[in-house]
Amino acid sequence: MLSRRQLWALVGLTLMWGVNWPMMKLSLQELTPLYFRASTMLLGAVWLFVYVQRRGERMWPTGAEWATIAWLGLPNVLGWHTFSIFGVQELASGRAAIVGFTMPIFTVLLGAVFFGERTTPRVRLAVVSAAIAIGLLLWHELSSLSGRPVGIAWMLGAAFSWGLGTLMFRRARFQLSPMVVTVWMLLLGSLVLWPLAIALEPVPHPASFSGPMWLALAYGVLINYGVAQLIWFGLARHLPPATSAMSVMAIPLVGTLSATFIVGEIPHWQDWLAIVFVMVAIASVLLPPRAPAATAARTPAQ
């Protein structure tokens, strides 16, 4: 059972990561994608580095750990964060969140294909549900004169990268804490994104940024890459699988609802139906199976 403090922390985390999707869309109205990612990722990682170092953790990797961190950062940071920001640029932010959070399905499928993990009827239900959700969103994008189906492809690439990165992270071996590894992945990822932004995008002019733009940037640095990460790592060891799944399922819903107020996006019926199917898919692969009745009955006595 979660304590009241943990419950409020989980609610806050779900809201922070859900609201982050329309906040990214707001930022992209005045800043190009790579510059946005490079700047918020670097500043957020520096913020986290200082905080974690002051807690007394070992911060500097050894030679072998550097290679592991760089390898893990390819899908977890460069893949997910780069593909997703291009997806948000092309799609409504709530729609991008819906597709992005098909990640757990990719994790299960990749585990089955490459690591021999067993597939179950629940996994097959998840795949069918996710496919229906993606089909609904593609249908609307293809039928709309202003539709951008390429955004769906960007977000599927992001979800695939995140799913692959999750499997790699589970199997990695290192002595550093997961928080420290994450900080270094973000720092190394930002060092790759900065040269790409300088080479491929026009130089931004911060003096022309509006107040909402600065607010969105601050949100990305302090909340998305800062407070939310700290809350997540604080909860991760004690979070029951079912509770974690519910939080993941709620993030696309929060993103879709908050986008109406932040960037004026009006969800279509395909979006709402797609959310339902994505929630079914996530629940199928993340929620733990029920214990047999006999086992459940014996547990309190033990």
Side-chain angles (χ1 to χ4, degrees), residues 145-200:
L145 291 176
S146 59
R148 295 180 175 181
V150 68
I152 302 290
W154 280 119
M155 288 310 308
L156 286 174
F160 178 90
S161 296
W162 189 10
L164 177 61
T166 299
L167 286 171
M168 292 169 57
F169 204 98
R170 288 176 185 171
R171 287 164 172 77
R173 296 290 181 267
F174 39 73
Q175 299 300 315
L176 294 169
S177 71
M179 170 67 86
V180 174
V181 173
T182 299
V183 169
W184 279 111
M185 286 195 299
L186 293 173
L187 285 170
L188 294 178
S190 67
L191 294 180
V192 174
L193 290 177
W194 270 107
L196 290 175
I198 293 169
L200 300 175

Coordinates of all heavy atoms in Angstrom, one line a residue, residues 145-200:
L145 N -7.3 17.4 -44.2 CA -6.5 18.1 -45.2 C -5.2 18.6 -44.6 O -4.2 18.7 -45.3 CB -7.3 19.3 -45.7 CG -8.5 19.0 -46.6 CD1 -9.3 20.3 -47.0 CD2 -8.1 18.3 -47.9
S146 N -5.2 18.9 -43.3 CA -4.0 19.4 -42.6 C -3.3 18.3 -41.9 O -2.4 18.5 -41.0 CB -4.3 20.5 -41.7 OG -5.2 20.1 -40.7
G147 N -3.7 17.0 -42.1 CA -3.2 15.9 -41.3 C -1.7 15.7 -41.7 O -1.2 15.9 -42.8
R148 N -1.0 15.2 -40.7 CA 0.4 14.9 -40.8 C 0.8 13.5 -40.3 O 1.3 13.3 -39.2 CB 1.3 15.9 -40.1 CG 1.1 17.4 -40.6 CD 1.9 18.4 -39.9 NE 1.8 19.7 -40.5 CZ 2.5 20.7 -40.1 NH1 3.3 20.7 -39.0 NH2 2.4 21.9 -40.7
P149 N 0.5 12.5 -41.1 CA 0.8 11.1 -40.7 C 2.2 10.9 -40.4 O 2.5 9.9 -39.6 CB 0.3 10.2 -41.8 CG 0.3 11.2 -43.0 CD -0.1 12.5 -42.5
V150 N 3.2 11.7 -40.9 CA 4.6 11.5 -40.6 C 4.8 11.7 -39.1 O 5.7 11.1 -38.5 CB 5.5 12.4 -41.4 CG1 5.3 13.9 -41.0 CG2 6.9 12.1 -41.3
G151 N 4.0 12.5 -38.4 CA 4.1 12.6 -37.0 C 3.9 11.3 -36.2 O 4.5 11.0 -35.2
I152 N 2.9 10.5 -36.7 CA 2.7 9.2 -36.1 C 4.0 8.3 -36.3 O 4.3 7.6 -35.3 CB 1.5 8.5 -36.8 CG1 0.2 9.3 -36.7 CG2 1.3 7.1 -36.2 CD1 -0.4 9.4 -35.4
A153 N 4.6 8.4 -37.4 CA 5.9 7.6 -37.6 C 6.9 8.1 -36.6 O 7.7 7.3 -36.1 CB 6.3 7.8 -39.1
W154 N 7.1 9.4 -36.4 CA 8.1 9.9 -35.5 C 7.8 9.3 -34.1 O 8.7 8.9 -33.4 CB 8.0 11.4 -35.4 CG 8.8 12.1 -36.5 CD1 8.2 13.0 -37.4 CD2 10.2 12.1 -36.8 NE1 9.2 13.5 -38.3 CE2 10.4 13.0 -37.9 CE3 11.3 11.4 -36.2 CZ2 11.7 13.1 -38.4 CZ3 12.5 11.6 -36.8 CH2 12.7 12.4 -37.8
M155 N 6.5 9.4 -33.7 CA 6.2 8.9 -32.3 C 6.3 7.4 -32.2 O 6.7 6.9 -31.1 CB 4.8 9.4 -32.0 CG 4.6 10.9 -31.7 SD 5.8 11.6 -30.6 CE 5.7 10.5 -29.2
L156 N 6.0 6.7 -33.2 CA 6.2 5.2 -33.1 C 7.7 4.9 -33.0 O 8.1 4.0 -32.3 CB 5.6 4.5 -34.4 CG 4.1 4.4 -34.4 CD1 3.7 3.8 -35.8 CD2 3.6 3.6 -33.3
G157 N 8.5 5.7 -33.7 CA 10.0 5.5 -33.6 C 10.4 5.8 -32.2 O 11.3 5.2 -31.6
A158 N 9.8 6.9 -31.6 CA 10.2 7.3 -30.2 C 9.8 6.2 -29.2 O 10.5 5.8 -28.3 CB 9.5 8.6 -29.8
A159 N 8.5 5.6 -29.4 CA 8.1 4.6 -28.5 C 8.9 3.3 -28.7 O 9.2 2.6 -27.7 CB 6.6 4.2 -28.8
F160 N 9.3 3.0 -29.9 CA 10.2 1.8 -30.1 C 11.5 2.0 -29.4 O 12.0 1.1 -28.8 CB 10.4 1.6 -31.6 CG 11.3 0.5 -32.0 CD1 10.8 -0.8 -32.2 CD2 12.7 0.7 -32.1 CE1 11.7 -1.8 -32.5 CE2 13.5 -0.3 -32.4 CZ 13.0 -1.6 -32.6
S161 N 12.1 3.2 -29.5 CA 13.4 3.5 -28.9 C 13.3 3.4 -27.4 O 14.2 2.8 -26.7 CB 13.9 4.9 -29.3 OG 14.1 5.0 -30.7
W162 N 12.2 3.9 -26.8 CA 12.0 3.9 -25.4 C 11.9 2.4 -24.9 O 12.4 2.0 -23.9 CB 10.8 4.7 -25.0 CG 10.6 5.0 -23.5 CD1 11.5 4.7 -22.5 CD2 9.5 5.5 -22.9 NE1 11.0 5.0 -21.3 CE2 9.7 5.6 -21.5 CE3 8.3 6.0 -23.4 CZ2 8.8 6.1 -20.6 CZ3 7.3 6.5 -22.5 CH2 7.6 6.6 -21.1
G163 N 11.1 1.7 -25.7 CA 10.9 0.3 -25.3 C 12.2 -0.5 -25.3 O 12.5 -1.3 -24.4
L164 N 12.9 -0.3 -26.4 CA 14.2 -1.0 -26.5 C 15.2 -0.5 -25.4 O 15.9 -1.4 -24.8 CB 14.9 -0.7 -27.9 CG 16.3 -1.2 -28.2 CD1 16.3 -2.8 -28.1 CD2 16.8 -0.8 -29.5
G165 N 15.2 0.8 -25.1 CA 16.1 1.3 -24.1 C 15.7 0.7 -22.7 O 16.6 0.5 -21.9
T166 N 14.4 0.5 -22.5 CA 14.0 0.0 -21.2 C 14.5 -1.4 -21.0 O 15.0 -1.8 -19.9 CB 12.4 0.0 -21.1 OG1 12.0 1.3 -21.2 CG2 11.9 -0.6 -19.8
L167 N 14.4 -2.2 -22.1 CA 15.0 -3.6 -22.0 C 16.5 -3.6 -21.8 O 17.0 -4.4 -21.0 CB 14.7 -4.4 -23.3 CG 13.2 -4.8 -23.5 CD1 13.0 -5.4 -24.9 CD2 12.9 -5.9 -22.5
M168 N 17.2 -2.7 -22.5 CA 18.6 -2.6 -22.3 C 19.0 -2.2 -20.9 O 19.9 -2.7 -20.3 CB 19.2 -1.6 -23.3 CG 19.1 -2.1 -24.8 SD 19.5 -0.8 -26.0 CE 21.2 -0.4 -25.5
F169 N 18.2 -1.2 -20.3 CA 18.5 -0.7 -19.0 C 18.3 -1.8 -18.0 O 19.1 -1.9 -17.0 CB 17.6 0.5 -18.7 CG 18.2 1.4 -17.7 CD1 18.8 2.6 -18.0 CD2 18.0 1.1 -16.3 CE1 19.3 3.5 -17.1 CE2 18.5 2.0 -15.4 CZ 19.2 3.2 -15.8
R170 N 17.3 -2.6 -18.1 CA 17.1 -3.7 -17.2 C 18.2 -4.7 -17.1 O 18.5 -5.3 -16.1 CB 15.8 -4.5 -17.6 CG 14.5 -3.7 -17.3 CD 13.3 -4.6 -17.9 NE 12.1 -3.9 -17.8 CZ 10.9 -4.3 -18.3 NH1 10.9 -5.4 -19.0 NH2 9.8 -3.6 -18.2
R171 N 18.9 -4.9 -18.3 CA 19.9 -5.9 -18.4 C 21.3 -5.4 -18.2 O 22.3 -6.1 -18.2 CB 19.8 -6.6 -19.7 CG 18.6 -7.6 -19.8 CD 18.3 -8.0 -21.2 NE 17.2 -9.0 -21.2 CZ 15.9 -8.8 -21.0 NH1 15.5 -7.5 -20.8 NH2 15.1 -9.8 -21.0
A172 N 21.4 -4.1 -18.0 CA 22.7 -3.4 -17.8 C 23.3 -3.7 -16.4 O 22.5 -3.9 -15.5 CB 22.6 -1.9 -18.1
R173 N 24.6 -3.8 -16.3 CA 25.2 -4.0 -15.0 C 26.2 -2.8 -14.8 O 27.1 -2.6 -15.5 CB 26.0 -5.3 -15.0 CG 25.1 -6.5 -15.2 CD 24.3 -6.8 -13.9 NE 23.4 -8.0 -14.1 CZ 22.2 -7.9 -14.5 NH1 21.6 -6.8 -14.9 NH2 21.5 -9.0 -14.6
F174 N 25.9 -2.1 -13.7 CA 26.8 -1.0 -13.3 C 26.7 -0.8 -11.8 O 25.6 -1.1 -11.2 CB 26.6 0.3 -14.1 CG 25.1 0.5 -14.4 CD1 24.3 1.0 -13.4 CD2 24.6 0.4 -15.6 CE1 22.9 1.2 -13.6 CE2 23.3 0.6 -15.9 CZ 22.5 1.1 -14.9
Q175 N 27.7 -0.1 -11.2 CA 27.7 0.2 -9.8 C 27.0 1.5 -9.4 O 26.7 1.8 -8.3 CB 29.1 0.1 -9.2 CG 29.8 -1.2 -9.4 CD 29.0 -2.3 -8.6 OE1 28.6 -2.2 -7.5 NE2 28.8 -3.5 -9.3
L176 N 26.9 2.4 -10.4 CA 26.3 3.7 -10.2 C 24.8 3.5 -10.0 O 24.2 2.6 -10.5 CB 26.5 4.6 -11.4 CG 28.0 5.0 -11.7 CD1 28.1 5.7 -13.0 CD2 28.5 6.0 -10.6
S177 N 24.2 4.5 -9.3 CA 22.7 4.4 -9.1 C 22.0 4.7 -10.4 O 22.6 5.4 -11.3 CB 22.3 5.4 -8.0 OG 22.4 6.7 -8.5
P178 N 20.8 4.2 -10.6 CA 20.0 4.6 -11.8 C 19.9 6.1 -12.0 O 19.9 6.6 -13.2 CB 18.7 3.9 -11.6 CG 19.0 2.8 -10.7 CD 20.1 3.3 -9.8
M179 N 19.7 6.9 -11.0 CA 19.6 8.3 -11.1 C 20.9 8.9 -11.7 O 20.8 9.7 -12.6 CB 19.3 8.9 -9.7 CG 19.4 10.5 -9.7 SD 18.2 11.3 -10.7 CE 16.9 11.3 -9.5
V180 N 22.1 8.5 -11.2 CA 23.3 9.0 -11.7 C 23.5 8.6 -13.2 O 23.9 9.4 -14.0 CB 24.5 8.5 -10.9 CG1 25.8 8.9 -11.5 CG2 24.4 9.0 -9.5
V181 N 23.1 7.4 -13.5 CA 23.2 6.9 -14.9 C 22.3 7.8 -15.8 O 22.7 8.2 -16.9 CB 22.8 5.4 -15.1 CG1 22.7 5.0 -16.5 CG2 23.8 4.6 -14.3
T182 N 21.1 8.1 -15.3 CA 20.2 8.9 -16.1 C 20.8 10.3 -16.3 O 20.7 10.9 -17.4 CB 18.8 9.0 -15.4 OG1 18.3 7.7 -15.3 CG2 17.9 9.9 -16.1
V183 N 21.4 10.9 -15.3 CA 22.0 12.2 -15.4 C 23.1 12.2 -16.5 O 23.1 13.1 -17.3 CB 22.6 12.7 -14.0 CG1 23.4 13.9 -14.2 CG2 21.5 12.9 -13.0
W184 N 23.9 11.2 -16.5 CA 25.0 11.2 -17.5 C 24.4 10.9 -18.9 O 25.0 11.4 -19.9 CB 26.0 10.1 -17.1 CG 27.0 10.7 -16.1 CD1 27.1 10.3 -14.8 CD2 28.0 11.7 -16.3 NE1 28.1 11.0 -14.1 CE2 28.6 11.9 -15.0 CE3 28.3 12.5 -17.4 CZ2 29.7 12.8 -14.9 CZ3 29.3 13.4 -17.2 CH2 30.0 13.6 -16.0
M185 N 23.4 10.1 -19.0 CA 22.8 9.9 -20.3 C 22.2 11.2 -20.9 O 22.4 11.5 -22.1 CB 21.7 8.9 -20.2 CG 22.1 7.4 -20.1 SD 20.8 6.2 -20.4 CE 19.6 6.6 -19.2
L186 N 21.6 12.0 -20.0 CA 21.1 13.3 -20.4 C 22.2 14.3 -20.8 O 22.1 15.0 -21.8 CB 20.2 13.9 -19.3 CG 18.9 13.2 -19.0 CD1 18.2 13.8 -17.8 CD2 18.0 13.2 -20.2
L187 N 23.3 14.3 -20.0 CA 24.4 15.2 -20.3 C 25.0 14.8 -21.7 O 25.3 15.7 -22.5 CB 25.4 15.1 -19.2 CG 25.1 15.9 -17.9 CD1 26.1 15.5 -16.8 CD2 25.0 17.4 -18.2
L188 N 25.3 13.5 -21.8 CA 25.9 13.1 -23.1 C 25.0 13.3 -24.3 O 25.4 13.7 -25.4 CB 26.3 11.6 -23.0 CG 27.4 11.2 -22.0 CD1 27.7 9.7 -22.0 CD2 28.7 12.0 -22.3
G189 N 23.7 13.0 -24.1 CA 22.7 13.3 -25.1 C 22.7 14.7 -25.6 O 22.6 15.0 -26.8
S190 N 22.7 15.6 -24.6 CA 22.7 17.0 -24.9 C 23.9 17.5 -25.7 O 23.8 18.3 -26.6 CB 22.5 17.9 -23.7 OG 23.7 17.8 -22.9
L191 N 25.0 16.8 -25.4 CA 26.3 17.2 -26.1 C 26.2 16.7 -27.6 O 27.0 17.2 -28.4 CB 27.5 16.6 -25.4 CG 27.8 17.1 -24.0 CD1 29.0 16.4 -23.4 CD2 28.0 18.6 -24.0
V192 N 25.4 15.7 -27.9 CA 25.2 15.3 -29.2 C 24.2 16.2 -29.9 O 24.3 16.6 -31.1 CB 24.7 13.8 -29.3 CG1 24.3 13.5 -30.7 CG2 25.8 12.9 -28.7
L193 N 23.1 16.6 -29.2 CA 22.1 17.4 -29.8 C 22.5 18.9 -30.1 O 22.0 19.4 -31.1 CB 20.9 17.5 -28.9 CG 20.1 16.1 -28.8 CD1 18.9 16.3 -27.7 CD2 19.5 15.7 -30.1
W194 N 23.4 19.4 -29.3 CA 23.8 20.8 -29.6 C 24.5 21.0 -30.9 O 24.1 21.9 -31.7 CB 24.8 21.3 -28.4 CG 24.0 21.9 -27.3 CD1 23.8 21.5 -26.1 CD2 23.3 23.2 -27.4 NE1 23.0 22.3 -25.3 CE2 22.7 23.4 -26.1 CE3 23.2 24.2 -28.3 CZ2 22.0 24.6 -25.8 CZ3 22.5 25.3 -28.0 CH2 21.9 25.5 -26.8
P195 N 25.5 20.1 -31.3 CA 26.0 20.3 -32.7 C 25.0 20.1 -33.8 O 25.1 20.8 -34.8 CB 27.1 19.2 -32.7 CG 27.5 19.0 -31.3 CD 26.2 19.1 -30.5
L196 N 24.1 19.2 -33.6 CA 23.0 18.9 -34.6 C 22.2 20.2 -34.7 O 21.8 20.6 -35.8 CB 22.2 17.7 -34.2 CG 22.9 16.4 -34.3 CD1 22.0 15.3 -33.8 CD2 23.3 16.1 -35.8
A197 N 21.8 20.8 -33.6 CA 20.9 22.0 -33.6 C 21.7 23.1 -34.3 O 21.1 23.8 -35.2 CB 20.6 22.4 -32.2
I198 N 22.9 23.3 -34.0 CA 23.7 24.4 -34.6 C 23.9 24.2 -36.1 O 23.8 25.1 -36.9 CB 25.1 24.5 -33.9 CG1 24.9 25.0 -32.5 CG2 26.0 25.5 -34.7 CD1 26.2 24.9 -31.6
A199 N 24.0 22.9 -36.5 CA 24.3 22.7 -37.9 C 23.0 22.7 -38.8 O 23.0 23.1 -39.9 CB 24.9 21.3 -38.1
L200 N 21.8 22.3 -38.2 CA 20.6 22.1 -38.9 C 19.5 23.1 -38.8 O 18.6 23.2 -39.6 CB 20.0 20.7 -38.6 CG 20.9 19.5 -38.8 CD1 20.3 18.2 -38.3 CD2 21.2 19.4 -40.3

